[in-house]
Amino acid sequence: MSAENQLQVIFITNDRKNKEKAVEEGIPAFTCEEYVKSLTANPELIDRLACLSEEGKEIESGKIIFSEHLPLSKLQQGIKSGIYLQGTFRASRENYLEATVWIHGDTEENKEIILQGLKHLNRAVHEDIVAVELFPKSQWVAPSSVVLQDEGQNEDNVEKEEERERMLKTAVNEKMLKPTGRVVGIIKRNWRPYCGMLSKSDIKESRRHLFTPADKRIPRIRIETRQASTLEGRRIIVAIDGWPRNSRYPNGHFVRNLGDVGEKETETEVLLLEHDVPHQPFSQAVLSFLPKMPWSITEKDMKNREDLRHLCVCSVDPPGCTDIDDALHCRELKNGNLEVGVHIADVSHFIRPGNALDQESARRGTTVYLCEKRIDMVPELLSSNLCSLRCNVDRLAFSCIWEMNRNAEILKTRFTKSVINSKASLTYAEAQMRIDSATVNDDITISLRGLNKLAKILKKGRIEKGALTLSSPEIRFHMDSETHDPIDLQTKELRETNSMVEEFMLLANISVAKKIHEEFSEHALLRKHPAPPPSNYEILVKAAKSKNLEIKTDTAKSLAQSLDQAESPAFPYLNTLLRILATRCMMQAVYFCSGMDNDFHHYGLASPIYTHFTSPIRRYADIIVHRLLAVAIGADCTYPELTDKHKLADICKNLNFRHKMAQYAQRASVAFHTQLFFKSKGIVSEEAYILFVRKNAIVVLIPKYGLEGTVFFEEKDKPKPHLIYDDEIPSLKIEGIVFHVFDKVKVKIMLDSSNLQHQKIRMALVEPQIPGISIPTDSSNADLNEPEKKKKKLEK
């Protein structure tokens, strides 16, 4: 090999001693920064350098704002001796000068410590694990009710901050004071890359700019970039590098450009990143564990499996569903009883414990359904093909089969791995039409009618036990087939067949929960729904009382019954509103490991035990439950992690996080599509009902769109109206007109794009008419569209 073709080896290190050694030995050595700056052909790479401030430097420039963070060894000693408390730092969305720290461990008192003021927050960032010092009671404060957004410009105007901090100190009574403290050190940083937008510096030619994250709980970040003009109006990702004691904001660096703000692809990407939804394509390593096509059932697959292809099985799902998890059958037995089967896709046959496919599904935890996009938990070959119980093809299933009498009482239950061949994939509407039409009497329809009869009895029984039927306004968008923009919004209608499928899914989940808990009392994966503390219901009880109705909340059953009786002939929608409000009072249902908990009860379903078995294509919890059940019936072998309750508890923790995030991402997707809808629709006036009254606003629900929004009564540059808020009733009196929960009002809906990063639906009161507050129905849209006009001017 000739000398000139030899590769030149260079050594990159940020360690000073290493670099000196390399130079001594004649190896060309650079720091990362030196090397990147030498690549003159790619100047944009400099933006991506981490901004490393050395401790020594920070003292020279600027005055010290924050107190020093104590070293880890001191923090650990302090936590051990009880001088400091360890917890998770939770920033506030409403007020950037306030945060709470959730203390780890089981201390009943001081579970939550409040922090107020920049210096006491001491450079902690949302979700960091911090050490706090608790102040003596004389220094405790009350949570402030002020909304404060950080609108500071590039200057580090700490005096101005101090003035704003004084606003927080409102006169309060003793009862409202909460344990208060300050951050003394950081135990673990939980920084992630943040999505947001650049606030370009007003100084011409400046390279230093502030970045404003989309998540209001994250502070602004100072970055250096040479491409500020191209990044303006774009969504970008920035990472934090550090936060020196003399800097009002943390330092960071540019990571990548996501695209124009407001564009559907960009906003969907932001939404997935901000909710930490894993959505990158499945890797080759993961895909390598998929079965090779063409796939067919082999003799080996039939081991420990019953052939149920002769049964008249069918599936009932929403229109357009390709990931069909479940199918049903019902037939009469010779002894006059009925046999009912729930057949669930046998996903755990294809996903073997511990391989890359299993690890990726476990990490994702759930499929996420956005308005126009599904982010699968398992690759499409499984989710829409081999595991989907489509009609007229052989599929592997896990079956739960009951023998029941005509009163839907279970006489026998058995579980078996099986092979089925579904005779029909129906939508809820198609199934309903078959059940209802007297002329149709084929096997599938007879089976459906049998299932429907039993389901009604099961539902009645559950409701008698105290199961809740709550309501939430769910929205569906009709998309334009060309542009994929939402052209119409409708609230989902539920049919009897929705309820029919649901009853058997619940029954299967309960039967499986009992079985796996009998077999594995210490490591069954179950799902519980805690009863809400009585205080949660205050808002519901008060709201009903203001309409002369009584809601009892001592047990789930009394709540269910009083909701059923809370009817008002003059106001038919009232019952739905009460159920929506009741939903808001509930706790979150969670997965847990049976050996780590002793309260198994599911409050909403009024069941002593529950789990998830019926959706393994879209929920990882169900895959674990399938594995447990397979071991219990001798259809598959176990593995160490399956019987380790600590491992299982870790899995549950991740699943609970992923499910919560999926829910938030779905809501954010609906909110974004709602904005697109009103962007094209313009301004509309609709009837609305009040859900909550606040000190200076009402929160309303618009049934037509299933849309919720806030009507504010105090605007920045307008005279303040006379407001009287009564927490007891609750009511809000404005200029002599009183608003109660559930009152009907008329509001105007429009899109407010004045803040590009947080475009939002704005609502204004039309009726009842209050001088200086409500806007006339036919008002010219002059004042509403000021921001729009400004924007158009800018675009020109």
Side-chain angles (χ1 to χ4, degrees):
M1 194 170 165
S2 65
E4 65 265 21
N5 279 354
Q6 271 193 338
L7 284 175
Q8 189 201 2
V9 176
I10 61 168
F11 180 47
I12 296 183
T13 176
N14 279 349
D15 183 275
R16 200 171 68 227
K17 293 237 168 70
N18 268 339
K19 192 179 162 190
E20 284 167 7
K21 271 190 192 151
V23 174
E24 274 169 30
E25 292 181 27
I27 302 168
F30 300 95
T31 64
C32 192
E33 188 174 348
E34 287 167 347
Y35 178 67
V36 169
K37 285 186 172 165
S38 74
L39 304 173
T40 46
N42 298 76
E44 76 282 358
L45 287 175
I46 295 176
D47 289 355
R48 299 181 184 216
L49 275 172
C51 165
L52 302 168
S53 84
E54 287 155 33
E55 286 296 308
K57 271 193 202 161
E58 65 181 19
I59 307 301
E60 298 160 25
S61 59
K63 67 177 205 197
I64 302 290
I65 305 172
F66 299 104
S67 55
E68 208 168 339
H69 286 156
L70 299 178
L72 202 53
S73 54
K74 274 216 171 114
L75 296 178
Q76 281 161 342
Q77 281 171 355
I79 289 165
K80 243 188 188 149
S81 63
I83 306 173
Y84 305 136
L85 296 164
Q86 174 176 333
T88 306
F89 181 89
R90 301 267 171 87
S92 154
R93 274 177 222 278
E94 254 87 65
N95 184 342
Y96 74 102
L97 294 175
E98 187 167 282
T100 48
V101 172
W102 283 77
I103 300 306
H104 302 170
D106 298 320
T107 52
E108 262 320 300
E109 47 168 358
N110 307 341
K111 242 200 163 31
E112 205 184 25
I113 290 180
I114 199 165
L115 315 174
Q116 264 182 13
L118 269 188
K119 294 191 165 96
H120 294 160
L121 303 180
N122 198 3
R123 299 171 285 157
V125 175
H126 184 62
E127 292 292 348
D128 281 350
I129 309 290
V130 297
V132 289
E133 173 187 27
L134 187 63
F135 291 154
K137 274 198 170 152
S138 57
Q139 290 174 36
W140 286 12
V141 297
S144 70
S145 50
V146 199
V147 177
L148 279 184
Q149 301 298 339
D150 178 9
E151 285 149 5
Q153 260 315 304
N154 277 357
E155 89 281 17
D156 291 341
N157 188 343
V158 181
E159 283 73 26
K160 190 170 156 209
E161 307 285 359
E162 285 167 357
E163 180 191 323
R164 296 189 92 169
E165 283 173 22
R166 283 193 284 278
M167 276 174 66
L168 303 181
K169 311 267 186 281
T170 39
V172 285
N173 60 26
E174 289 284 296
K175 270 195 305 200
M176 291 166 79
L177 297 177
K178 292 269 184 333
T180 309
R182 70 184 183 101
V183 170
V184 290
I186 309 287
I187 291 161
K188 179 173 175 276
R189 287 288 193 191
N190 271 328
W191 295 341
R192 58 181 175 84
Y194 300 104
C195 298
M197 293 179 76
L198 198 66
S199 311
K200 206 166 143 238
S201 166
D202 296 338
I203 305 163
K204 230 182 156 171
E205 303 301 314
S206 172
R207 283 184 194 169
R208 301 186 75 181
H209 307 273
L210 275 181
F211 160 82
T212 308
D215 184 339
K216 291 184 172 165
R217 294 167 304 192
I218 306 298
R220 293 155 97 180
I221 301 163
R222 187 178 277 120
I223 66 167
E224 285 199 30
T225 174
R226 290 151 183 74
Q227 16 177 3
S229 43
T230 47
L231 296 179
E232 226 182 343
R234 297 283 175 98
R235 292 268 192 188
I236 61 172
I237 297 181
V238 161
I240 299 182
D241 298 319
W243 195 340
R245 289 172 57 195
N246 60 344
S247 170
R248 165 68 185 85
Y249 297 111
N251 294 328
H253 66 276
F254 167 75
V255 177
R256 71 186 167 106
N257 179 354
L258 294 172
D260 287 335
V261 68
E263 282 203 350
K264 205 175 308 174
E265 282 67 36
T266 309
E267 295 302 329
T268 303
E269 179 75 4
V270 168
L271 193 148
L272 293 168
L273 289 165
E274 283 298 293
H275 292 96
D276 202 357
V277 175
H279 60 285
Q280 49 297 349
F282 289 99
S283 69
Q284 277 318 114
V286 168
L287 299 173
S288 71
F289 287 98
L290 292 174
K292 303 291 168 267
M293 297 300 285
W295 173 84
S296 60
I297 296 172
T298 62
E299 253 186 41
K300 189 176 160 227
D301 294 335
M302 291 304 294
K303 195 175 166 255
N304 297 328
R305 206 176 274 281
E306 270 182 58
D307 191 337
L308 302 180
R309 284 177 284 201
H310 58 287
L311 292 176
C312 182
V313 169
C314 70
S315 65
V316 185
D317 286 284
C321 175
T322 59
D323 49 346
I324 303 172
D325 283 295
D326 53 90
L328 299 157
H329 89 270
C330 172
R331 62 173 182 168
E332 196 167 335
L333 297 171
K334 289 198 176 80
N335 62 11
N337 288 330
L338 295 169
E339 176 188 85
V340 174
V342 164
H343 310 277
I344 304 298
D346 188 4
V347 182
S348 65
H349 172 85
F350 295 96
I351 299 184
R352 303 312 295 165
N355 69 22
L357 175 58
D358 181 45
Q359 286 173 358
E360 182 59 24
S361 311
R363 185 173 82 95
R364 293 185 177 215
T366 176
T367 291
V368 181
Y369 296 89
L370 303 180
C371 288
E372 292 179 65
K373 194 176 186 172
R374 187 178 88 198
I375 286 107
D376 283 328
M377 177 182 87
V378 301
E380 195 175 14
L381 178 66
L382 296 180
S383 67
S384 296
N385 187 351
L386 302 185
C387 292
S388 186
L389 305 180
R390 308 194 299 200
C391 57
N392 304 319
V393 286
D394 293 351
R395 287 290 177 259
L396 301 179
F398 209 147
S399 302
C400 172
I401 299 167
W402 303 279
E403 185 179 325
M404 293 184 172
N405 61 21
R406 304 277 162 170
N407 297 331
E409 290 160 341
I410 298 172
L411 309 171
K412 281 184 196 148
T413 307
R414 69 189 186 91
F415 306 100
T416 176
K417 290 236 176 180
S418 61
V419 55
I420 62 166
N421 187 306
S422 167
K423 306 299 180 266
S425 306
L426 307 171
T427 64
Y428 290 119
E430 287 167 346
Q432 193 67 55
M433 271 157 61
R434 280 178 177 246
I435 290 169
D436 294 342
S437 61
T439 50
V440 185
N441 284 305
D442 57 283
D443 287 351
I444 293 170
T445 309
I446 290 167
S447 173
L448 285 169
R449 284 187 189 132
L451 289 165
N452 200 32
K453 260 195 191 133
L454 292 168
K456 285 179 175 169
I457 303 170
L458 288 169
K459 185 169 186 176
K460 195 165 166 256
R462 270 195 322 112
I463 287 170
E464 275 165 11
K465 275 209 196 94
L468 300 171
T469 336
L470 298 175
S471 182
S472 68
E474 283 203 56
I475 308 180
R476 274 203 102 107
F477 290 93
H478 290 269
M479 297 297 180
D480 181 311
S481 56
E482 295 294 316
T483 62
H484 292 289
D485 284 342
I487 38 184
D488 196 15
L489 270 161
Q490 74 167 58
T491 40
K492 289 184 187 172
E493 50 175 321
L494 294 176
R495 295 186 173 80
E496 218 176 59
T497 42
N498 289 63
S499 174
M500 172 186 86
V501 173
E502 188 188 359
E503 283 311 313
F504 289 108
M505 297 306 125
L506 293 174
L507 194 61
N509 286 335
I510 291 168
S511 299
V512 171
K514 287 178 181 160
K515 178 73 179 171
I516 61 173
H517 183 248
E518 263 163 40
E519 288 292 323
F520 310 111
S521 60
E522 283 295 294
H523 50 88
L525 191 156
L526 302 174
R527 187 163 175 83
K528 66 170 182 172
H529 182 217
S535 61
N536 276 31
Y537 284 127
E538 271 176 18
I539 177 88
L540 176 68
V541 174
K542 283 178 183 174
K545 196 175 160 194
S546 74
K547 293 281 175 268
N548 297 322
L549 293 168
E550 187 187 7
I551 297 285
K552 293 197 173 115
T553 59
D554 44 333
T555 63
K557 187 170 181 175
S558 58
L559 173 65
Q561 282 174 338
S562 50
L563 281 170
D564 286 342
Q565 288 155 11
E567 293 283 347
S568 159
F571 186 2
Y573 194 64
L574 179 64
N575 192 266
T576 308
L577 286 169
L578 282 165
R579 289 179 197 276
I580 289 171
L581 209 50
T583 309
R584 304 293 164 89
C585 303
M586 294 300 147
M587 308 291 283
Q588 196 73 36
V590 288
Y591 296 113
F592 69 101
C593 168
S594 59
M596 309 285 272
D597 208 317
N598 40 26
D599 170 29
F600 291 10
H601 192 75
H602 196 294
Y603 178 80
L605 297 171
S607 174
I609 191 166
Y610 192 64
T611 192
H612 272 163
F613 164 76
T614 53
S615 292
I617 298 178
R618 56 190 179 87
R619 291 188 304 232
Y620 188 75
D622 305 51
I623 293 181
I624 296 282
V625 169
H626 277 226
R627 289 173 182 168
L628 288 163
L629 184 62
V631 175
I633 63 166
D636 205 343
C637 44
T638 184
Y639 57 99
E641 283 78 20
L642 193 63
T643 53
D644 178 337
K645 64 180 185 180
H646 297 284
K647 286 260 163 56
L648 218 53
D650 286 343
I651 289 174
C652 289
K653 193 178 166 186
N654 178 54
L655 292 178
N656 291 330
F657 171 70
R658 294 293 183 204
H659 275 264
K660 191 168 76 183
M661 285 303 154
Q663 237 178 348
Y664 291 162
Q666 281 151 3
R667 283 181 207 158
S669 178
V670 168
F672 173 63
H673 279 79
T674 308
Q675 287 170 16
L676 287 181
F677 173 72
F678 283 108
K679 196 173 191 170
S680 58
K681 200 167 172 64
I683 294 175
V684 292
S685 293
E686 291 295 345
E687 282 186 349
Y689 293 98
I690 299 179
L691 276 183
F692 303 102
V693 289
R694 302 268 185 253
K695 284 181 185 165
N696 59 349
I698 53 175
V699 178
V700 299
L701 175 76
I702 297 163
K704 181 175 174 183
Y705 299 122
L707 180 66
E708 207 177 296
T710 307
V711 179
F712 286 102
F713 295 122
E714 289 181 335
E715 291 203 38
K716 241 185 189 166
D717 306 317
K718 292 195 175 167
K720 283 198 172 176
H722 185 53
L723 302 176
I724 301 169
Y725 173 69
D726 183 337
D727 187 28
E728 275 312 298
I729 303 175
S731 70
L732 179 64
K733 189 174 183 180
I734 307 168
E735 306 291 346
I737 289 184
V738 183
F739 292 95
H740 295 97
V741 178
F742 303 146
D743 283 356
K744 190 171 169 180
V745 294
K746 194 169 190 181
V747 297
K748 190 161 265 194
I749 313 166
M750 55 259 165
L751 181 68
D752 175 3
S753 309
S754 55
N755 177 342
L756 271 181
Q757 170 131 283
H758 295 286
Q759 300 198 23
K760 53 180 183 284
I761 301 286
R762 257 185 54 195
M763 297 193 183
L765 189 69
V766 176
E767 283 169 19
Q769 288 182 358
I770 303 174
I773 299 262
S774 22
I775 51 175
T777 325
D778 55 349
S779 73
S780 74
N781 301 331
D783 54 334
L784 303 178
N785 271 355
E786 262 328 297
E788 281 294 326
K789 278 190 207 154
K790 263 191 216 148
K791 203 174 119 210
K792 292 224 161 60
K793 242 189 223 160
L794 285 174
E795 282 167 5
K796 275 181 199 159

